[in-house]
Amino acid sequence: MMLVDELGPSMRRVARMYVSSDAVTDEVVQEAWLGVVKGLDGFEGRASLRTWIFRILVNTAKTRGQRESRSVPFAALAGDDLDQPTFDPTAFGAPGDPNAGAWSTLPFDWRGMPEERAEGTETLHVIGGAIAMLPPMQAEVIRLRDVLGWSSDEVCNALDLTETNQRVLLHRARTKVRGALEEHFRSVSEA
Amino acid sequence: MSVDASISCQEVVELLSAYLDGELDPTTLERVEAHLAGCDGCTMVLEEFRETIRLSGGLTVEQVDETQRRTLLEAFRDWRAGS
C-alpha cells in the first residue's frame, strides 16, 4: 500500500483535472488502480513504475472525461499566461531605454534569512499556499518535481506533457513560489 | 549592471529554471554563465531559485484519505474474489 500513499493525493488531483466531479474522480482512480493490478504482468519496466501508473491514470481520466463530453482546454489546466513574462516587466528598463532589459528595481534579497526562520513551518505554509494557488497543471508539475523529486522525464511521461511545456510550467510555478517567499520574508523583516 | 550585451537580465531570469536543471543548449549556457558572472542581481535571483527548490523539498507529502484507502482495498479484494 506504500505506492497508494505516495501517489494517491497526486493521482486524485490529476484525475480531477479531466472529469466533472469528486465522485467520478474516485471512480477513475479506482479504475486506474485495477488497471495497474491487472496489467502488472505486462509491465516491462521501460518506464518507472510510478510513471506507468500515472499513464494508466491519465488515459483512464481522459477517456472518462470524453465520455462525459467534457473537453478541458489545455490553457484551463496550464494557466492562460504562458506566453507572458514570468517576472514583473516593470522591474527592468523599458524597451528603447539605454538600460533596456537590465534590472531597474532589484527584488528583495532574502538570502541572509536566519536558518530557523527560513526553514520554519511558516515558510512551508507559504510554499504550500503558493502552490495551491497555481493553475492545476503548474501545481502538479512543481509538486512532482520539487516536492517529490521526480525527474523531468518522469513528469513528462506521467502527465503526458512535452519537454517544452513541462519546462515552461515548472519555471512559472517556481517563479511564483519564489515570489511568494520574497513577499513573506520582506514582510517579516519589516515587522 | 548588464555586462554581456548579448543577453539581458530580463531574458536571464526566464532561463534560470532550465539552467538549474541543466537543460540549456551550450551556446545559451555560455551566455547565461557569462552574464551571471558579472550580474549581482541575477545571481541573487538564481540563488533564491535554488533555495526555493530546496525549501519546497521540505514540504510533507500529503496523506491519503482513510475512506479512499479503504474503498480502494475493498475494490482490490472484490477484484481478486471475482477473478
Side-chain angles (χ1 to χ4, degrees):
Chain A
M1 273 312 201
M2 264 173 63
L3 268 177
V4 172
D5 287 327
E6 186 195 326
L7 305 181
S10 296
M11 287 174 73
R12 278 201 97 244
R13 276 192 307 266
V14 170
R16 187 67 183 82
M17 292 185 209
Y18 298 101
V19 299
S20 60
S21 69
D22 290 342
V24 178
T25 303
D26 287 337
E27 287 173 28
V28 165
V29 172
Q30 230 181 83
E31 196 183 327
W33 275 115
L34 285 179
V36 167
V37 176
K38 286 180 202 164
L40 211 47
D41 285 342
F43 173 64
E44 290 173 20
R46 271 194 299 250
S48 69
L49 181 61
R50 56 195 187 186
T51 302
W52 178 70
I53 293 173
F54 264 75
R55 286 313 289 245
I56 293 178
L57 175 79
V58 169
N59 288 334
T60 308
K62 281 184 175 171
T63 307
R64 187 62 185 262
Q66 276 159 12
R67 228 190 300 147
E68 292 185 312
S69 310
R70 192 169 186 271
S71 84
V72 188
F74 184 68
L77 303 177
D80 53 9
D81 56 350
L82 296 189
D83 53 350
Q84 306 286 318
T86 48
F87 270 78
D88 177 8
T90 62
F92 306 94
D97 216 76
N99 275 330
W103 290 108
S104 56
T105 320
L106 276 177
F108 174 72
D109 184 353
W110 51 268
R111 287 172 297 176
M113 279 291 142
E115 213 168 280
E116 63 274 17
R117 166 153 283 169
E119 306 199 357
T121 42
E122 222 181 306
T123 303
L124 294 177
H125 278 302
V126 171
I127 298 175
I131 293 178
M133 298 288 289
L134 296 169
M137 201 60 103
Q138 289 184 33
E140 227 34 59
V141 169
I142 197 172
R143 282 196 188 102
L144 293 178
R145 288 292 309 274
D146 292 347
V147 180
L148 297 176
W150 291 28
S151 72
S152 69
D153 273 357
E154 283 181 304
V155 174
C156 288
N157 270 318
L159 299 180
D160 197 16
L161 294 170
T162 64
E163 259 176 66
T164 307
N165 279 340
Q166 195 258 173
R167 191 182 306 131
V168 170
L169 294 168
L170 180 62
H171 183 65
R172 294 201 87 78
R174 283 174 175 169
T175 303
K176 288 176 195 162
V177 174
R178 196 209 67 85
L181 287 172
E182 181 189 335
E183 278 308 305
H184 170 67
F185 289 132
R186 188 211 305 270
S187 70
V188 295
S189 78
E190 281 166 358
Chain B
M1 191 171 287
S2 173
V3 177
D4 184 353
S6 67
I7 189 165
S8 70
C9 302
Q10 199 169 5
E11 289 168 299
V12 166
V13 293
E14 298 296 344
L15 297 171
L16 291 179
S17 212
Y19 173 74
L20 286 171
D21 290 334
E23 290 170 348
L24 293 179
D25 64 86
T27 318
T28 313
L29 177 63
E30 205 174 300
R31 280 193 197 145
V32 168
E33 284 185 328
H35 180 100
L36 286 168
C39 182
D40 293 342
C42 288
T43 302
M44 171 181 92
V45 174
L46 172 71
E47 286 169 4
E48 290 174 355
F49 257 94
R50 208 176 263 138
E51 187 65 357
T52 300
I53 296 167
R54 194 183 69 79
L55 290 170
S56 299
L59 276 189
T60 7
V61 179
E62 318 111 290
Q63 297 295 306
V64 172
D65 189 290
E66 218 14 74
T67 325
Q68 280 159 32
R69 173 193 254 271
R70 217 173 309 128
T71 321
L72 200 56
L73 278 173
E74 278 160 20
F76 281 137
R77 216 169 295 135
D78 291 348
W79 173 69
R80 276 213 199 104
S83 65

